[in-house]
Amino acid sequence: MRQSSAARPGVISWNEDGTPLSPLVFTVADGHNTEITAVVDPARLALTDLPEAV
């Protein structure tokens, strides 16, 4: 499993063609989710370093 020093909990939804649909990144503080960020802009997704779909 790949993890960077800036890794945060998250989930990635994938299109049927294997491209990312919408990564969700969770901000956790004191053991609670305090924020959920969804990235849905195709141009921004193209610049994001994501793992391959499984």
Side-chain angles (χ1 to χ4, degrees), residues 12-15 17-23 39-42 45-46 48 50-51 53:
I12 304 172
S13 298
W14 299 93
N15 286 308
D17 66 1
T19 58
L21 176 64
S22 64
V39 180
V40 294
D41 176 25
L45 284 171
T48 305
L50 297 172

Side-chain angles (χ1 to χ4, degrees), residues 13-49:
S13 298
W14 299 93
N15 286 308
E16 289 182 12
D17 66 1
T19 58
L21 176 64
S22 64
L24 299 176
V25 180
F26 300 92
T27 301
V28 179
D30 297 323
H32 299 283
N33 289 329
T34 59
E35 183 178 344
I36 300 173
T37 304
V39 180
V40 294
D41 176 25
R44 190 168 167 202
L45 284 171
L47 300 173
T48 305
D49 181 27

